[in-house]
Amino acid sequence: MSARHPRRIQREGSSCSSARHLPAAMRTLRSPSCMGPNVYPEVPDGGWGWAVAAAFFLVEICTYGTLKSLGVFLQDLMEEFGESNSRVSWVISICVFIFTFTAPLSTMLSNRFGYRPVVMAGGFLISLGTVTSAFTNSISEMYITIGLISGLGYCLTFLPTVTILAQYFSRRRALVTSVASSGESFAIFAFAPAFTELKEHIGWRYCLVVLGIFQTSVIGCGFLLRPIIISPEPVNEDDELDNDALSLKQLETVYELENEQTRTSISSGVSQHSEDSGVTSLTTSNVDLRVVGAEAKAEWEEQQQPLSLPQSPLKEGDEGDQAQHQPASPKLLDFSVLKDCAFIWYSLFGLFATLGFFAPQLYIVQLSKSRGVEPSMASYMLSVMAVAEIFGRLSIGVVLSKVHCRKTLVLLWCVVLLCLVLVAFTVVWEFWGLVVCCALYGYFMGTVGSTHIPMLAEEDVVGIQRMASSVGVYVFIQSFAGLAGPPLGGLLVDITDNYGAAFYSCAVGMGLSAICLALVGPAKSGMCQRRNRKAEEEEKRSQHSDQPDFLEVDLAMEDSPARQAVDRDNSSVV
């Protein structure tokens, strides 16, 4: 047995040395199970994050992609149940409202139970609501099936996935999120013509059954959402012992010199009957000494503190080797971000922008038919939007990863141009004019839709540390515009008998959102300036209060209780 130990140790040493050649962010500590949490020394910008990105791509297809493709069934529902545009559009409105209104609930459940079970439960609710809607007998029943059940499933699925994806990436966050969110565009491109053709053969009810079965794939995506823990690499024990020994020796030297110099100065002051008792000599000779002592103490105390870990939910089955990485339990729900002025303006931007997120996809098919486009060609307007949206999402990811200005300014220009395109829908009547408008709308919608939620992780808004708590509040505020958007467009259509009127409300909302987004930067700058001034004032007060205490200790007589207490502390440290 003794002969085998050297070979085993050598193999282990070689494997450890080979692991040291890997980039630090790509090395993970061992997890007790293959589906347990990933522990990285720093944000990996890859690794298991690519699997999470693939899961988010499929989640986008089954959530936003499906929701924006339901417009192909609008006319069928109106004819089946004998309802108006505004009544049928409430199905989408209630779904969007529940999707966004229950965002704080999604955040709370994710912090309590972890991302994986929440997403899996959401996938089950999405499929259940879509399948049961195929057997409804009235539009009111669809308010419950698609509106309530599927809407809650969308929320429980989408928000945890985009939140954990942002935690796996830092430098590539904007690019990866944009590419992964293009699943929505691929879904619109494929679903619109496919369901238009399929419902001619099997009817709209069985189309919903097929769609609901496909949405069960979200349950599998939940398995891929492994929690991430950032734990800096431990320092080598030999180096740590050397540093401790060096720090102790440095402290010993500093205290010896300090005590000797203090005793000499006090003795000389007493023998000469000086009133300052050596204060003059202390202020001239021991200034550097005090600085060195303070630095040594700070360095020694810093090395004794344990490493802090970010918050991430761990399950009971993952204890054992990872017990030392157990983080503190996060807050279930945190509304403190509402004290941030920049976040308030950004939330108002999301509130008004939501008015233009869903109505165009819902009414573009009927708008094209009302302006002389063949019904078979009208459904391809959604496909044009989807293809252009893919390019918009990819291009904005590249741009945001390279720009050096505030990223909110890039987003602002995209919002302004999107507002102008929405106005153009109301004045264009030709087929190719509608195609151009759909392409431009899809492109700029891709730039805005793929970045407005991940933009919360940027320091321009709230930062990655507060994203998990702020994303639920942000989407919750959006819910009210999501509830009002489609019915408001349907009401304008019923009053004017013109589908172009639905785009007026979208343009007005997008214009107001641009104004609110423009105020995010000034609000953030003002907050940073106030924080810096407050920090400087606190630092000055602390420096002001520390200096008298130091002099009081050094000026104490050798036989005083204060001097004896300091000598005991020095001897214990040495």
Side-chain angles (χ1 to χ4, degrees):
M1 294 295 295
S2 60
R4 294 181 181 179
H5 289 299
R7 287 195 296 270
R8 185 177 63 184
I9 294 174
Q10 183 177 3
R11 286 196 299 269
E12 293 176 353
S14 61
S15 62
C16 294
S17 61
S18 62
R20 283 195 293 267
H21 292 292
L22 295 173
M26 299 303 294
R27 294 198 298 269
T28 61
L29 302 179
R30 288 187 178 181
S31 178
S33 63
C34 61
M35 298 305 294
N38 284 320
V39 183
Y40 291 94
E42 59 185 19
V43 179
D45 255 336
W48 191 258
W50 298 118
V52 178
F56 182 58
F57 181 87
L58 188 56
V59 167
E60 278 275 3
I61 292 176
C62 297
T63 54
Y64 275 112
T66 300
L67 195 58
K68 293 183 178 181
S69 300
L70 294 179
V72 299
F73 302 113
L74 181 64
Q75 189 65 33
D76 300 286
L77 296 177
M78 292 170 59
E79 295 176 356
E80 179 76 17
F81 302 120
E83 300 288 352
S84 62
N85 277 284
S86 57
R87 285 272 297 172
V88 174
S89 62
W90 273 104
V91 176
I92 306 299
S93 298
I94 295 174
C95 183
V96 173
F97 176 74
I98 297 299
F99 186 177
T100 52
F101 185 80
T102 56
L105 175 64
S106 175
T107 301
M108 183 176 65
L109 293 177
S110 298
N111 290 335
R112 175 64 179 85
F113 300 105
Y115 298 113
R116 185 178 298 157
V118 173
V119 172
M120 294 171 63
F124 172 76
L125 291 177
I126 292 174
S127 178
L128 177 64
T130 305
V131 171
T132 55
S133 63
F135 303 98
T136 55
N137 297 318
S138 66
I139 198 68
S140 299
E141 294 178 1
M142 295 195 75
Y143 293 163
I144 298 175
T145 54
I146 290 183
L148 294 179
I149 300 177
S150 293
L152 180 60
Y154 289 150
C155 181
L156 298 181
T157 299
F158 178 80
L159 288 181
T161 309
V162 71
T163 301
I164 195 173
L165 178 63
Q167 297 174 4
Y168 270 95
F169 293 89
S170 176
R171 182 174 53 86
R172 301 173 180 170
R173 183 184 300 129
L175 179 60
V176 173
T177 306
S178 299
V179 174
S181 64
S182 63
E184 170 189 338
S185 305
F186 280 103
I188 299 174
F189 172 76
F191 286 169
F195 287 143
T196 301
E197 184 68 23
L198 188 61
K199 72 180 181 179
E200 298 295 332
H201 297 84
I202 64 175
W204 65 271
R205 293 183 181 271
Y206 287 103
C207 285
L208 292 179
V209 173
V210 172
L211 179 60
I213 295 174
F214 173 76
Q215 287 175 324
T216 56
S217 59
V218 175
I219 300 176
C221 295
F223 282 106
L224 299 178
L225 303 184
R226 299 177 63 180
I228 179 173
I229 299 176
I230 306 300
S231 175
E233 288 184 328
V235 183
N236 192 349
E237 294 182 359
D238 296 335
D239 297 339
E240 186 176 358
L241 292 175
D242 294 340
N243 293 334
D244 291 343
L246 182 61
S247 300
L248 290 175
K249 288 182 180 179
Q250 188 175 5
L251 283 173
E252 180 181 357
T253 304
V254 168
Y255 281 118
E256 287 181 355
L257 290 174
E258 183 177 348
N259 294 336
E260 182 179 357
Q261 184 67 32
T262 302
R263 285 196 296 270
T264 304
S265 301
I266 293 176
S267 300
S268 62
V270 171
S271 62
Q272 296 175 5
H273 303 284
S274 175
E275 294 181 357
D276 64 358
S277 299
V279 173
T280 304
S281 61
L282 277 174
T283 55
T284 56
S285 302
N286 285 353
V287 172
D288 297 335
L289 197 61
R290 288 197 299 269
V291 173
V292 174
E295 293 178 352
K297 294 176 186 176
E299 180 181 357
W300 183 74
E301 292 175 356
E302 181 179 358
Q303 292 177 358
Q304 306 305 313
Q305 294 178 354
L307 297 174
S308 60
L309 297 176
Q311 297 178 349
S312 178
L314 281 177
K315 304 208 175 137
E316 295 180 359
D318 295 332
E319 296 178 357
D321 295 338
Q322 306 246 345
Q324 67 272 21
H325 304 297
Q326 182 70 29
S329 59
K331 291 183 179 180
L332 295 181
L333 199 57
D334 185 11
F335 283 94
S336 63
V337 290
L338 293 176
K339 299 178 181 179
D340 192 333
C341 294
F343 176 77
I344 292 176
W345 284 114
Y346 194 82
S347 298
L348 292 176
F349 147 73
L351 175 69
F352 293 116
T354 306
L355 291 174
F357 279 175
F358 297 96
Q361 287 89 346
L362 183 62
Y363 292 110
I364 185 59
V365 175
Q366 299 303 321
L367 175 68
S368 301
K369 292 179 181 179
S370 66
R371 295 186 176 177
V373 179
E374 293 292 330
S376 59
M377 299 297 295
S379 62
Y380 284 96
M381 294 295 177
L382 282 174
S383 299
V384 172
M385 283 185 179
V387 173
E389 192 171 337
I390 294 173
F391 287 101
R393 291 174 182 270
L394 297 179
S395 61
I396 194 63
V398 174
V399 171
L400 291 179
S401 62
K402 294 184 178 180
V403 295
H404 300 288
C405 63
R406 286 192 174 188
K407 296 181 180 180
T408 52
L409 294 178
V410 180
L411 182 60
L412 176 61
W413 280 106
C414 296
V415 171
V416 172
L417 294 174
L418 182 58
C419 179
L420 297 177
V421 174
L422 288 171
V423 174
F425 272 108
T426 63
V427 297
V428 174
W429 289 81
E430 298 81 9
F431 170 79
W432 290 109
L434 289 173
V435 170
V436 172
C437 288
C438 289
L440 292 175
Y441 174 82
Y443 180 85
F444 290 113
M445 181 62 196
T447 61
V448 177
S450 64
T451 56
H452 72 104
I453 292 181
M455 190 70 71
L456 291 168
E458 302 295 334
E459 295 299 328
D460 297 344
V461 188
V462 296
I464 185 64
Q465 297 296 332
R466 303 174 68 188
M467 180 184 178
S469 60
S470 63
V471 66
V473 180
Y474 171 73
V475 178
F476 168 78
I477 295 174
Q478 282 185 289
S479 62
F480 301 99
L483 180 66
L488 179 59
L491 180 62
L492 293 176
V493 170
D494 292 336
I495 293 175
T496 62
D497 198 21
N498 178 17
Y499 282 96
F503 291 81
Y504 282 117
S505 61
C506 300
V508 172
M510 201 62 65
L512 292 175
S513 70
I515 296 175
C516 296
L517 183 59
L519 296 175
V520 173
K524 192 69 174 180
S525 300
M527 288 186 59
C528 292
Q529 291 176 1
R530 287 194 296 270
R531 288 176 183 174
N532 292 336
R533 285 197 298 267
K534 186 176 180 181
E536 291 177 358
E537 291 175 359
E538 291 179 353
E539 185 178 357
K540 289 180 180 179
R541 285 197 298 267
S542 63
Q543 291 178 353
H544 214 39
S545 60
D546 288 344
Q547 188 170 0
D549 296 339
F550 184 85
L551 291 175
E552 182 180 354
V553 172
D554 280 350
L555 290 176
M557 299 296 294
E558 291 184 8
D559 56 349
S560 65
R563 183 75 264 173
Q564 294 174 1
V566 171
D567 290 340
R568 284 196 300 270
D569 293 338
N570 294 340
S571 61
S572 62
V573 172
V574 175

